[in-house]
């Protein structure tokens, strides 16, 4: 069974930092993209940061220059370092991955981790 498990969310004051982690586990043959999306109340799901299938990185416009995505391929783990956090960054952050499992490529989502930034 393939799982994405996030950790690292919490409550932080504006201007502070948090680091999220996401570990992909299970019978994974390869990872064709992995990163983070977020969903805030009353808003649409938004790309935060992602490693694409060609190993490039994409960031949402609202987080460029403040957030950094990194990874440890040996551990099937991606990290999201969030700096200079703003109240508008408050959301549930979801890990996403496109994984090849038993010869098939599928999309997977984590359960989400809450990030709350107080003003």
């Amino acid at each position: 069974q393939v799982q994405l498990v996030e950790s690292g969310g919490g409550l932080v004051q504006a201007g502070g930092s948090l680091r999220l982690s996401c570990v992909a586990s299970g019978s994974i043959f390869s990872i064709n993209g992995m990163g983070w999306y977020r969903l805030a109340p009353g808003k649409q799901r938004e790309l935060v940061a992602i490693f694409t299938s060609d190993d490039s990185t994409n960031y949402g416009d609202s987080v460029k220059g403040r957030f950094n995505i990194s990874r440890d391929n040996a551990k099937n783990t991606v990290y999201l370092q969030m700096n200079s956090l703003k109240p508008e960054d408050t959301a549930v952050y979801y890990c996403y991955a496109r994984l090849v499992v038993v010869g098939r490529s599928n999309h997977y989502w984590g359960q989400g981790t809450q990030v709350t930034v107080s003003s």
Side-chain angles (χ1 to χ4, degrees):
Q1 182 179 0
V2 175
Q3 280 188 311
L4 301 180
V5 179
E6 303 108 329
S7 61
L11 173 64
V12 64
Q13 288 188 329
S17 298
L18 282 175
R19 189 191 194 210
L20 306 183
S21 300
C22 174
V23 181
S25 63
S27 300
I28 300 167
F29 178 76
S30 64
I31 298 176
N32 291 339
M34 193 168 178
W36 299 91
Y37 286 79
R38 68 187 182 186
L39 183 62
K43 296 185 178 181
Q44 292 186 328
R45 185 176 62 193
E46 176 186 20
L47 169 69
V48 179
I50 194 167
F51 284 102
T52 65
S53 58
D54 63 356
D55 290 336
S56 63
T57 55
N58 287 336
Y59 289 89
D61 289 341
S62 62
V63 307
K64 287 179 181 177
R66 300 187 297 122
F67 291 10
N68 183 68
I69 189 170
S70 60
R71 63 187 175 183
D72 184 333
N73 290 333
K75 297 180 179 180
N76 288 342
T77 300
V78 292
Y79 305 95
L80 183 69
Q81 179 65 44
M82 304 185 292
N83 299 323
S84 302
L85 283 160
K86 304 175 181 180
E88 51 263 43
D89 293 317
T90 296
V92 178
Y93 285 68
Y94 293 92
C95 181
Y96 162 83
R98 185 161 187 176
L99 308 175
V100 176
V101 177
V102 195
R104 299 180 64 179
S105 178
N106 285 308
H107 305 275
Y108 294 86
W109 293 90
Q111 81 283 359
T113 185
Q114 177 71 46
V115 171
T116 302
V117 184
S118 63
S119 57

